[in-house]
Amino acid sequence: MSRERVILITGTRKGIGRHLVDHYLSRGFAVFGCSRGPMQDPPAGYRHFCLDVADEAGARQMFGAIRADHGRLDVLVNNAGIASMNHILLTPLSTVRRILETNVVGTMLFCREAAKLMQGERSGRIVNFATVATPLKLEGEAIYAASKAAVVSLTEVLARELAPLGITVNAVGPTPVATDLIRSVPREKMDALLARQAIRRFGEFRDITNVIDFFIRPESDFVTGQVLYLGGV
Amino acid sequence: MGQEIDIVKILYAAIDDLNLQLPPEQQLEKSTATVLFGDGGRLDSLGLVTFIVAAEQKLTESAGISLTLADEKAMSRRNSPFRTVGTLAAYIGERLAEGENE
């Protein structure tokens, strides 16, 4: 069994997740990731699984593979998430269920399975993804913001439940980053949103990796249950 | 299932794992009469959670069985299946006899 740090990142096919794969490979981590589809040109040293994060059997299989390869997991980053902008009067229930399945059920399932693996070493770091849409109470994002509010609650309660096992649970709350998630949002909506931040610019990948790097460094073992919003929100 | 599975032996392996993490005075004896939780039990709630996770893991590793032990069925019973090593082994046996293997 190797002693390199092992990280699992969900939602790695594109956007922030894809960037995180490269970032942690360059930091010498063994990187596992998943998304519903296959990854184009996966980098060397990275192992990809095609699965839906809310699929219990698929998740268990993936954690079984990590256990077999490394016998442990040091870091979980629950990046997989979906959004859908719509007025509540025009929001189909199928969309609501899809968002809750991925953002809430998926995050919970991966926290649970990761903690089972981490508790063997009495150490681990879980980083979840919140959003500024929750504290900003963004109109048109009711379900997305609510699903991420659930992730915040999950983060705060799991921080307490998992603390005796040496596992910290925190969340990063990004501002909009230029990825597929916000591609369809009109420009004026985006400008109005940025105007509500203390620092009025789009987030960049490095802003997010900086926060995750902080949460997972060994010196942060006294930091748990925290949600760090970017941009001064 | 083709072969007979020694559930008690699997639970003893889980006890071995758990004992590695416990101070000597809290370690569990490998006996079906060992009380896990409740009056006379040595485990606190977190110890029980850790033991259940270890038991699930050992079932998967040694017998390829994937079971969630602490589900609604277990929790809704009048007599907790997590009382002793023996009651837990019997409970796992029952679940397997019902053909359960997620």
Side-chain angles (χ1 to χ4, degrees):
Chain A
M1 299 276 173
S2 65
R3 291 309 302 174
E4 63 192 322
R5 288 184 93 191
V6 183
I7 188 169
L8 163 54
I9 303 160
T10 65
T12 47
R13 196 165 58 86
K14 54 189 183 181
I16 295 168
R18 182 67 182 78
H19 176 82
L20 291 175
V21 168
D22 292 335
H23 178 75
Y24 287 106
L25 279 174
S26 75
R27 296 284 175 105
F29 280 76
V31 183
F32 288 78
C34 62
S35 58
R36 276 172 292 186
M39 185 195 268
Q40 298 287 323
D41 306 318
Y46 167 75
R47 191 158 166 206
H48 189 78
F49 290 75
C50 285
L51 58 88
D52 189 312
V53 287
D55 171 27
E56 189 171 20
R60 280 191 166 183
Q61 230 166 23
M62 180 178 191
F63 281 94
I66 296 172
R67 188 185 289 273
D69 279 10
H70 295 275
R72 50 186 250 284
L73 176 67
D74 300 291
V75 182
L76 164 68
V77 180
N78 269 314
N79 161 72
I82 51 175
S84 173
M85 274 201 82
N86 223 334
H87 192 281
I88 190 71
L89 297 183
L90 302 176
T91 303
L93 268 193
S94 58
T95 303
V96 177
R97 292 200 172 98
R98 210 163 44 83
I99 292 175
L100 293 178
E101 278 283 305
T102 298
N103 297 3
V104 183
V105 177
T107 297
M108 177 274 162
L109 174 62
F110 273 67
C111 284
R112 188 187 74 189
E113 294 305 310
K116 286 182 185 175
L117 199 43
M118 290 169 173
Q119 60 92 26
E121 300 274 317
R122 283 291 186 270
S123 123
R125 297 272 190 274
I126 296 176
V127 182
N128 292 327
F129 267 67
T131 170
V132 297
T134 304
L136 291 178
K137 302 167 178 62
L138 287 189
E139 293 158 64
E141 299 265 20
I143 308 308
Y144 178 63
S147 75
K148 293 297 191 176
V151 170
V152 170
S153 278
L154 202 57
T155 301
E156 291 168 346
V157 177
L158 295 193
R160 289 170 177 268
E161 290 191 7
L162 300 178
L165 301 172
I167 301 167
T168 67
V169 190
N170 293 287
V172 54
T175 63
V177 177
T179 66
D180 280 0
L181 198 74
I182 59 162
R183 200 182 39 194
S184 58
V185 182
R187 180 72 214 186
E188 62 273 19
K189 286 267 182 207
M190 270 303 146
D191 289 343
L193 201 168
L194 295 184
R196 296 178 66 189
Q197 298 173 190
I199 303 169
R200 295 170 185 179
R201 65 163 170 83
F202 275 102
E204 293 178 19
F205 292 138
R206 66 178 171 83
D207 300 317
I208 295 165
T209 49
N210 178 45
V211 175
I212 300 176
D213 284 344
F214 166 69
F215 283 142
I216 71 174
R217 54 195 273 205
E219 295 84 353
S220 296
D221 60 352
F222 201 44
V223 178
T224 195
Q226 304 304 305
V227 183
L228 204 160
Y229 291 109
L230 288 165
V233 171
Chain B
M1 231 153 297
Q3 86 257 30
E4 199 57 28
I5 296 161
D6 191 339
I7 298 166
V8 172
K9 199 171 148 196
I10 290 172
L11 293 182
Y12 287 171
I15 289 177
D16 282 336
D17 266 17
L18 185 68
N19 282 344
L20 290 175
Q21 301 172 17
L22 294 175
E25 68 277 9
Q26 281 176 28
Q27 292 186 358
L28 297 179
E29 203 182 315
K30 284 190 266 186
S31 153
T32 51
T34 296
V35 178
L36 295 170
F37 194 66
D39 284 349
R42 285 192 167 178
L43 297 178
D44 58 10
S45 54
L46 188 67
L48 181 66
V49 168
T50 311
F51 178 69
I52 292 171
V53 169
E56 287 179 353
Q57 183 55 35
K58 291 290 170 197
L59 280 167
T60 308
E61 278 172 12
S62 347
I65 295 164
S66 180
L67 274 186
T68 300
L69 293 175
D71 66 355
E72 288 87 350
K73 279 184 203 163
M75 297 313 187
S76 61
R77 292 200 164 194
R78 180 189 273 267
N79 297 314
S80 168
F82 304 114
R83 177 79 183 131
T84 69
V85 173
T87 59
L88 181 56
Y91 175 68
I92 295 169
E94 258 176 63
R95 293 274 300 271
L96 294 179
E98 288 164 7
E100 272 191 70
N101 182 4
E102 295 151 8

